[in-house]
Every structure is written in structure tokens, then in C-alpha cells.
Amino acid sequence: MPTVSIIEDHPEVLQWIQSQFESKENWKVNGCFLSAESALTSIASLAMDLIVLDVGLPKMSGLDALPKLKVLKPKAKILIFTVFEDEETILKAITLGCHGYWIKDLTRGSKFVSECEQMMEGGASLTPKVARYLMEKISSESTLNASNVLLSKRESEVLNMVAVGFKISDIADELDISSHTVRHTLERIYQKLDVSSKQEAILKGNRLGIIQKPDGI
């Protein structure tokens, strides 16, 4: 049974997130915290697969807490759930290694947990506005020469889809290949780009000019 911890300073939002997971029999809420400090003092002794993390916390921010949480719980996925949608915050969170960045939307309802479960399966999970910003950033900052990084057409295609927020299952459906093939392709991309995560691959693909802004974005 997967476990989740929630770090959110607004009690009503924390309660809403908690209720979404508690409504599912296959999830266990294992810690709710109103500050990063309280979480960091307790989280090491708790089992968790997912951390839902706010950015605008009192005293220590979610961004300051993020690398500390990754050290304490290196195997846990970290989902940023915040009202902050400025470019600096988004880019910093992704650079620090969050696995998803969602703008707060309490209308998600029952979809919240299912979207978390899809994120747990792999792939960066981004709300459309965040994905659009990243693609614009990627397009405007393609300044390095990519001639020495030879990704195949399929590898470039997969990396571009990851960059705009497609999950592994979505990529498999879109390209009519298996999820296993998508994961294997991602492994080859990591090796060629000399990175170890999807977030790092997105950022390096950006700098190398591999990722292109799709039509309509």
C-alpha cells in the first residue's frame, strides 16, 4: 500500500488533500504537517512513497525544504502543489528535482489521486500552464550545439513529449508502442545526455536545442 505525507500550511487545503487519499482504500496518509520544520523533524522515521509539498510555507519554504526531503527520503516522489506560477519558482523546483508541479486546483476532486498514481508510474507531471511555460523556456534558450549528442528521431520524439508533461502511458499510446519500450528509450536518452532523471534530461535537452516548441503551444 503506497503512503503519502502532506506538507501544507493551510489547514483547509491540507484537509482536502488528506481526504482525497483517505477516500481510496489503496493509499495510506502517513503524516500531515503545517510547516517544513515539523516535517523534517519527523519524516525520517515515516515510510512514504509520495510527498505533497506546498511552496509558500512559513519560515522555511517548500523550495528550501525540497533538497532536504530528497536526502531524507531519496526514493519518495515529490509533488509541488502550490499557487505560485511564476517562472523563477517553477524552474527552481524542477531544477531541485521535484517529480511534479501542479498549480493548486481543488476542483480536481477524485482525479487528484489518480493523477498522483500516474505520476508515480513515471514521467514529470505538469499542469498545462507549467508545461507551456517550460516549452517556451526550452525554445528560447536552445543556445548550445547539439551536434555531439546524437539522439535518434524516436528518442528526440520521446524527450519532447516528456518535456510537455506526457506520462509514460500517454507516450506509449500516442506512439503505439509499449510502456516498456518507452522506459527503455528513456534509459538510452539518459545515457546519451549523461543525466539521471527526467528533469535533468529536460533541462539538458533545452540547453542543447534538442527539444523543440510544438505547434500550438
Side-chain angles (χ1 to χ4, degrees), residues 4 6 8-24 29 32 34 52 79 81-82 102-116:
V4 58
I6 306 161
E8 167 62 60
D9 66 319
H10 292 285
E12 66 277 10
V13 178
L14 189 152
Q15 185 177 14
W16 181 88
I17 299 170
Q18 182 179 0
S19 68
Q20 300 308 304
F21 286 101
E22 289 182 342
S23 68
K24 307 294 182 181
V29 177
C32 294
L34 293 172
V52 180
L79 168 65
F81 191 54
T82 182
W102 295 355
I103 305 303
K104 280 185 179 175
D105 178 7
L106 302 191
T107 65
R108 269 189 163 93
S110 60
K111 294 181 180 179
F112 186 90
V113 177
S114 63
E115 290 174 347
C116 285

Side-chain angles (χ1 to χ4, degrees), residues 108-147:
R108 269 189 163 93
S110 60
K111 294 181 180 179
F112 186 90
V113 177
S114 63
E115 290 174 347
C116 285
E117 289 172 341
Q118 291 180 38
M119 186 192 72
M120 298 289 289
E121 292 178 1
S125 182
L126 310 171
T127 51
K129 186 169 185 176
V130 174
R132 184 174 294 110
Y133 158 69
L134 285 178
M135 284 308 300
E136 290 171 351
K137 181 80 173 173
I138 285 164
S139 179
S140 65
E141 293 187 356
S142 297
T143 57
L144 299 182
N145 189 340
S147 61

